[in-house]
Amino acid sequence: MADQPDGQPSKGEYRSGHDPRTLRDALGCFATGVTVVTCLLEGEPSGLTVNSFTSVSLEPPLLLVCVHKKAATAAALTTAPCFAINVLQTGQQPASISFSTRAGDRFEGTPWSCGEGGAPILKDSLCVFECERYAVYDGGDHHILVGQVVQASFDASLDPLLFFRGKYRRLHFD
Ligand SMILES: Cc1cc2nc3c(=O)[nH]c(=O)nc-3n(C[C@H](O)[C@H](O)[C@H](O)COP(=O)(O)O)c2cc1C
């Protein structure tokens, strides 16, 4: 069955294979939240949109994100002693778009302040994990950046921005 015009698989399509397109579309079936990972290095804020976020350990408190080695922000994020993971809420889709596409000052349209460790905290995020860099591992074409959480905060009144099959989504049940 042919793909839809937006490149997404058709409803009811079953596909199996080991080609890159099938792998990408299969990975897109894993619904995720959306985060913006930020750091401040030599006074310069950096950040990019990331959904490869997962918790790793509670004791010690560790989490990880995978950052493409060719991302312009990769060098800063793997060098800065601290970074922040801003988990986005439904009203922050513009920030997600800006931090995944926009060249130049991505922070211009998004209010932020410095967290305790110095990393940029995006205002009105659903939740924020401030981390110290714990380890950077090789992950093929990505860096696996592991952080030790020093501060976590969240706003229980907000709903998450979701990403599924290449599109932004929101919860549709309580
Ligand atoms: C929903 C979403 C999730 C993304 N997840 C990741 C990710 O986990 N790792 C990554 O390296 N890029 C991810 N990207 C792509 C980067 O945000 C994008 O390539 C960005 O422009 C890289 O910016 P930079 O080159 O300035 O660092 C994602 C993009 C979107 C829209």
Side-chain angles (χ1 to χ4, degrees):
M1 204 181 291
D3 277 359
Q4 292 178 313
D6 62 4
Q8 294 306 308
S10 319
K11 206 148 185 90
E13 176 185 1
Y14 175 82
R15 204 182 338 140
S16 170
H18 55 266
D19 59 289
R21 184 72 259 165
T22 301
L23 176 61
R24 284 183 78 109
D25 290 347
L27 290 170
C29 294
F30 185 60
T32 67
V34 181
T35 76
V36 170
V37 183
T38 58
C39 70
L40 193 71
L41 192 64
E42 292 163 4
E44 273 299 307
S46 303
L48 83 164
T49 302
V50 156
N51 68 347
S52 58
F53 163 67
T54 191
S55 61
V56 174
S57 160
L58 282 176
E59 199 52 62
L62 302 178
L63 44 72
L64 70 77
V65 289
C66 299
V67 179
H68 200 286
K69 288 177 180 171
K70 288 189 177 157
T73 47
L77 282 167
T78 53
T79 309
C82 302
F83 63 91
I85 297 178
N86 299 268
V87 179
L88 304 188
Q89 45 98 2
T90 47
Q92 290 176 304
Q93 189 176 333
S96 177
I97 293 168
S98 172
F99 280 87
S100 60
T101 53
R102 193 184 158 148
D105 187 1
R106 291 175 168 175
F107 288 84
E108 206 175 54
T110 309
W112 63 280
S113 59
C114 273
E116 283 181 26
I121 308 299
L122 303 189
K123 188 170 178 286
D124 299 328
S125 293
L126 170 61
C127 96
V128 178
F129 299 97
E130 292 179 70
C131 301
E132 286 171 359
R133 194 180 73 246
Y134 181 84
V136 182
Y137 299 110
D138 180 58
D141 57 10
H142 282 61
H143 298 291
I144 302 169
L145 173 61
V146 181
Q148 177 152 3
V149 181
V150 291
Q151 179 91 0
S153 49
F154 64 92
D155 182 340
S157 70
L158 298 170
D159 278 343
L161 180 63
L162 304 178
F163 200 72
F164 175 63
R165 290 204 176 119
K167 288 184 183 161
Y168 293 101
R169 319 274 182 160
R170 57 170 68 214
L171 296 175
H172 66 279
F173 51 81
D174 291 323

